[in-house]
Amino acid sequence: MFAKIVCVATFVVVVAAQFGGHGHGHGYSSQHVYKHDGHHEPVHVHGHHGHGHHDYYTHPKFEFAYKVEDHHTGDIKSQHEHRDGDVVKGAYSLHQPDGSERSVHYHGDKHSGFHADVKFDTHHIVPHKHY
């Protein structure tokens, strides 16, 4: 009986979320990840007692991105990143609770470290009067 109640309650929540009378559009999210597998190269690793063994190293290379846009909750954000060896580049943006949008472009590598350029774009919010 408990399982039937849970199923019915879940159905009601889904229907209410889709057809609720709030007049807001649907939210969505998307993502993709690309991993580039290279050739494995042997690396000699020294152990605790001076004995070594072989391990394998693959050149790190990947890309990923995601996006969330839900105007009902105000959750709007995105990010993308690319790594090739020791170099990482990317950007992300998000809408903050005060209505501004924060955008960050970043870059990192073993020679210059991590650097980020942060910008804020303020949108003017005009309050609506309800009569």
Short mmCIF file of all heavy atoms in Angstrom, two decimals, residues 55-85:
data_model
loop_
_atom_site.label_atom_id
_atom_site.label_comp_id
_atom_site.label_asym_id
_atom_site.label_seq_id
_atom_site.Cartn_x
_atom_site.Cartn_y
_atom_site.Cartn_z
N ASP A 55 55.02 2.46 -14.31
CA ASP A 55 53.63 2.89 -14.34
C ASP A 55 53.41 3.49 -15.72
O ASP A 55 54.34 3.61 -16.51
CB ASP A 55 53.37 3.92 -13.23
CG ASP A 55 51.90 4.01 -12.86
OD1 ASP A 55 51.06 3.42 -13.57
OD2 ASP A 55 51.58 4.67 -11.86
N TYR A 56 52.20 3.86 -16.02
CA TYR A 56 51.92 4.40 -17.34
C TYR A 56 51.26 5.77 -17.21
O TYR A 56 50.48 6.03 -16.30
CB TYR A 56 51.02 3.45 -18.14
CG TYR A 56 51.75 2.18 -18.46
CD1 TYR A 56 51.67 1.09 -17.62
CD2 TYR A 56 52.55 2.10 -19.59
CE1 TYR A 56 52.38 -0.07 -17.90
CE2 TYR A 56 53.24 0.94 -19.88
CZ TYR A 56 53.16 -0.13 -19.03
OH TYR A 56 53.85 -1.26 -19.32
N TYR A 57 51.61 6.65 -18.10
CA TYR A 57 51.13 8.02 -18.10
C TYR A 57 50.50 8.30 -19.45
O TYR A 57 51.07 7.96 -20.50
CB TYR A 57 52.31 8.97 -17.87
CG TYR A 57 52.00 10.42 -18.09
CD1 TYR A 57 51.36 11.17 -17.11
CD2 TYR A 57 52.35 11.06 -19.28
CE1 TYR A 57 51.08 12.51 -17.31
CE2 TYR A 57 52.07 12.39 -19.49
CZ TYR A 57 51.44 13.11 -18.51
OH TYR A 57 51.15 14.43 -18.70
N THR A 58 49.35 8.94 -19.44
CA THR A 58 48.68 9.37 -20.66
C THR A 58 48.57 10.88 -20.63
O THR A 58 48.20 11.46 -19.61
CB THR A 58 47.28 8.75 -20.77
OG1 THR A 58 47.40 7.34 -20.77
CG2 THR A 58 46.58 9.19 -22.03
N HIS A 59 48.88 11.51 -21.70
CA HIS A 59 48.78 12.97 -21.82
C HIS A 59 47.33 13.38 -21.53
O HIS A 59 46.41 12.95 -22.21
CB HIS A 59 49.17 13.39 -23.24
CG HIS A 59 49.11 14.85 -23.47
ND1 HIS A 59 50.10 15.71 -23.08
CD2 HIS A 59 48.16 15.62 -24.06
CE1 HIS A 59 49.78 16.94 -23.42
NE2 HIS A 59 48.60 16.91 -24.01
N PRO A 60 47.11 14.20 -20.48
CA PRO A 60 45.73 14.58 -20.15
C PRO A 60 45.16 15.58 -21.16
O PRO A 60 45.77 16.61 -21.45
CB PRO A 60 45.86 15.22 -18.76
CG PRO A 60 47.27 15.64 -18.65
CD PRO A 60 48.07 14.76 -19.54
N LYS A 61 44.02 15.24 -21.70
CA LYS A 61 43.35 16.11 -22.67
C LYS A 61 41.84 15.85 -22.59
O LYS A 61 41.41 14.71 -22.73
CB LYS A 61 43.87 15.83 -24.08
CG LYS A 61 43.35 16.81 -25.11
CD LYS A 61 44.05 16.59 -26.44
CE LYS A 61 43.54 17.58 -27.46
NZ LYS A 61 44.16 17.41 -28.77
N PHE A 62 41.07 16.91 -22.33
CA PHE A 62 39.62 16.75 -22.28
C PHE A 62 38.95 18.10 -22.51
O PHE A 62 39.58 19.15 -22.46
CB PHE A 62 39.17 16.18 -20.93
CG PHE A 62 39.38 17.11 -19.76
CD1 PHE A 62 38.44 18.10 -19.46
CD2 PHE A 62 40.49 17.00 -18.96
CE1 PHE A 62 38.63 18.96 -18.39
CE2 PHE A 62 40.69 17.84 -17.89
CZ PHE A 62 39.75 18.83 -17.60
N GLU A 63 37.67 18.04 -22.77
CA GLU A 63 36.79 19.21 -22.87
C GLU A 63 35.49 18.86 -22.19
O GLU A 63 35.04 17.72 -22.25
CB GLU A 63 36.46 19.55 -24.32
CG GLU A 63 37.59 19.95 -25.19
CD GLU A 63 37.10 20.19 -26.61
OE1 GLU A 63 36.16 20.99 -26.79
OE2 GLU A 63 37.66 19.57 -27.52
N PHE A 64 34.87 19.83 -21.54
CA PHE A 64 33.51 19.61 -21.06
C PHE A 64 32.77 20.93 -21.05
O PHE A 64 33.36 22.01 -21.06
CB PHE A 64 33.49 18.96 -19.67
CG PHE A 64 33.77 19.90 -18.52
CD1 PHE A 64 32.74 20.63 -17.93
CD2 PHE A 64 35.04 20.02 -18.01
CE1 PHE A 64 33.00 21.48 -16.88
CE2 PHE A 64 35.30 20.85 -16.96
CZ PHE A 64 34.27 21.60 -16.39
N ALA A 65 31.46 20.84 -21.04
CA ALA A 65 30.61 22.02 -20.99
C ALA A 65 29.27 21.62 -20.40
O ALA A 65 28.84 20.47 -20.53
CB ALA A 65 30.40 22.61 -22.38
N TYR A 66 28.64 22.56 -19.73
CA TYR A 66 27.28 22.33 -19.26
C TYR A 66 26.54 23.66 -19.22
O TYR A 66 27.14 24.73 -19.21
CB TYR A 66 27.23 21.63 -17.90
CG TYR A 66 27.60 22.51 -16.72
CD1 TYR A 66 26.64 23.29 -16.07
CD2 TYR A 66 28.90 22.55 -16.25
CE1 TYR A 66 26.97 24.09 -15.01
CE2 TYR A 66 29.24 23.35 -15.18
CZ TYR A 66 28.27 24.11 -14.56
OH TYR A 66 28.60 24.91 -13.50
N LYS A 67 25.22 23.57 -19.20
CA LYS A 67 24.38 24.75 -19.16
C LYS A 67 23.09 24.40 -18.45
O LYS A 67 22.51 23.35 -18.69
CB LYS A 67 24.07 25.23 -20.58
CG LYS A 67 23.28 26.51 -20.62
CD LYS A 67 23.14 27.00 -22.06
CE LYS A 67 22.48 28.35 -22.07
NZ LYS A 67 22.42 28.91 -23.42
N VAL A 68 22.67 25.28 -17.55
CA VAL A 68 21.40 25.14 -16.85
C VAL A 68 20.64 26.45 -17.05
O VAL A 68 21.21 27.52 -16.88
CB VAL A 68 21.61 24.89 -15.34
CG1 VAL A 68 20.28 24.88 -14.61
CG2 VAL A 68 22.37 23.60 -15.10
N GLU A 69 19.38 26.34 -17.40
CA GLU A 69 18.56 27.54 -17.57
C GLU A 69 17.15 27.24 -17.07
O GLU A 69 16.38 26.57 -17.73
CB GLU A 69 18.55 27.96 -19.04
CG GLU A 69 18.02 29.35 -19.23
CD GLU A 69 18.33 29.90 -20.60
OE1 GLU A 69 19.45 29.67 -21.11
OE2 GLU A 69 17.44 30.56 -21.16
N ASP A 70 16.84 27.73 -15.89
CA ASP A 70 15.54 27.54 -15.28
C ASP A 70 15.04 28.91 -14.81
O ASP A 70 15.41 29.41 -13.76
CB ASP A 70 15.63 26.58 -14.09
CG ASP A 70 14.28 26.22 -13.52
OD1 ASP A 70 13.28 26.90 -13.84
OD2 ASP A 70 14.21 25.26 -12.74
N HIS A 71 14.21 29.54 -15.63
CA HIS A 71 13.73 30.89 -15.32
C HIS A 71 12.75 30.89 -14.15
O HIS A 71 12.58 31.92 -13.50
CB HIS A 71 13.10 31.51 -16.56
CG HIS A 71 14.11 31.76 -17.63
ND1 HIS A 71 14.95 32.84 -17.61
CD2 HIS A 71 14.45 31.04 -18.73
CE1 HIS A 71 15.76 32.80 -18.65
NE2 HIS A 71 15.47 31.71 -19.35
N HIS A 72 12.14 29.78 -13.88
CA HIS A 72 11.22 29.69 -12.74
C HIS A 72 11.96 29.87 -11.42
O HIS A 72 11.52 30.60 -10.54
CB HIS A 72 10.47 28.36 -12.77
CG HIS A 72 9.54 28.17 -11.61
ND1 HIS A 72 8.38 28.88 -11.48
CD2 HIS A 72 9.61 27.36 -10.53
CE1 HIS A 72 7.78 28.52 -10.35
NE2 HIS A 72 8.51 27.60 -9.76
N THR A 73 13.10 29.22 -11.28
CA THR A 73 13.88 29.33 -10.04
C THR A 73 14.97 30.39 -10.12
O THR A 73 15.57 30.74 -9.11
CB THR A 73 14.56 27.98 -9.69
OG1 THR A 73 15.48 27.65 -10.73
CG2 THR A 73 13.52 26.89 -9.52
N GLY A 74 15.27 30.87 -11.33
CA GLY A 74 16.34 31.84 -11.51
C GLY A 74 17.71 31.21 -11.59
O GLY A 74 18.72 31.90 -11.56
N ASP A 75 17.78 29.89 -11.70
CA ASP A 75 19.05 29.18 -11.79
C ASP A 75 19.51 29.19 -13.24
O ASP A 75 19.06 28.39 -14.06
CB ASP A 75 18.89 27.75 -11.26
CG ASP A 75 20.21 27.02 -11.13
OD1 ASP A 75 21.27 27.68 -11.20
OD2 ASP A 75 20.18 25.79 -10.95
N ILE A 76 20.42 30.11 -13.57
CA ILE A 76 20.92 30.24 -14.93
C ILE A 76 22.43 30.30 -14.84
O ILE A 76 23.00 31.21 -14.23
CB ILE A 76 20.37 31.52 -15.61
CG1 ILE A 76 18.84 31.47 -15.63
CG2 ILE A 76 20.96 31.67 -17.01
CD1 ILE A 76 18.20 32.75 -16.10
N LYS A 77 23.10 29.29 -15.43
CA LYS A 77 24.56 29.22 -15.35
C LYS A 77 25.10 28.36 -16.47
O LYS A 77 24.37 27.55 -17.06
CB LYS A 77 25.01 28.67 -14.01
CG LYS A 77 24.44 27.29 -13.68
CD LYS A 77 24.71 26.94 -12.24
CE LYS A 77 23.88 25.74 -11.84
NZ LYS A 77 23.86 25.56 -10.41
N SER A 78 26.38 28.54 -16.77
CA SER A 78 27.02 27.71 -17.79
C SER A 78 28.52 27.69 -17.52
O SER A 78 29.06 28.57 -16.86
CB SER A 78 26.75 28.25 -19.19
OG SER A 78 27.32 29.53 -19.35
N GLN A 79 29.18 26.66 -18.03
CA GLN A 79 30.63 26.54 -17.91
C GLN A 79 31.15 25.69 -19.06
O GLN A 79 30.48 24.77 -19.52
CB GLN A 79 31.04 25.89 -16.59
CG GLN A 79 32.56 25.78 -16.45
CD GLN A 79 33.01 25.16 -15.14
OE1 GLN A 79 32.21 24.72 -14.34
NE2 GLN A 79 34.31 25.14 -14.93
N HIS A 80 32.34 26.04 -19.52
CA HIS A 80 33.07 25.17 -20.46
C HIS A 80 34.53 25.23 -20.08
O HIS A 80 35.03 26.23 -19.56
CB HIS A 80 32.82 25.56 -21.92
CG HIS A 80 33.33 26.92 -22.28
ND1 HIS A 80 34.62 27.16 -22.68
CD2 HIS A 80 32.72 28.12 -22.29
CE1 HIS A 80 34.77 28.44 -22.93
NE2 HIS A 80 33.64 29.06 -22.70
N GLU A 81 35.23 24.11 -20.32
CA GLU A 81 36.64 24.03 -19.95
C GLU A 81 37.34 23.10 -20.93
O GLU A 81 36.75 22.14 -21.43
CB GLU A 81 36.80 23.50 -18.53
CG GLU A 81 38.24 23.46 -18.05
CD GLU A 81 38.33 23.10 -16.58
OE1 GLU A 81 37.95 23.93 -15.74
OE2 GLU A 81 38.77 21.97 -16.29
N HIS A 82 38.61 23.40 -21.17
CA HIS A 82 39.43 22.61 -22.09
C HIS A 82 40.81 22.43 -21.44
O HIS A 82 41.39 23.39 -20.94
CB HIS A 82 39.58 23.35 -23.42
CG HIS A 82 40.57 22.73 -24.35
ND1 HIS A 82 40.27 21.61 -25.09
CD2 HIS A 82 41.84 23.07 -24.66
CE1 HIS A 82 41.34 21.30 -25.82
NE2 HIS A 82 42.29 22.16 -25.58
N ARG A 83 41.30 21.21 -21.41
CA ARG A 83 42.63 20.93 -20.90
C ARG A 83 43.42 20.17 -21.95
O ARG A 83 42.94 19.22 -22.55
CB ARG A 83 42.58 20.09 -19.63
CG ARG A 83 43.97 19.76 -19.10
CD ARG A 83 43.96 18.99 -17.83
NE ARG A 83 45.35 18.72 -17.41
CZ ARG A 83 45.67 18.06 -16.32
NH1 ARG A 83 44.73 17.61 -15.51
NH2 ARG A 83 46.94 17.86 -16.02
N ASP A 84 44.66 20.61 -22.13
CA ASP A 84 45.60 19.92 -23.02
C ASP A 84 46.94 19.92 -22.31
O ASP A 84 47.64 20.92 -22.27
CB ASP A 84 45.68 20.63 -24.36
CG ASP A 84 46.45 19.82 -25.40
OD1 ASP A 84 46.99 18.75 -25.06
OD2 ASP A 84 46.49 20.26 -26.56
N GLY A 85 47.28 18.79 -21.68
CA GLY A 85 48.50 18.70 -20.89
C GLY A 85 48.37 19.51 -19.61
O GLY A 85 47.42 19.35 -18.86
#
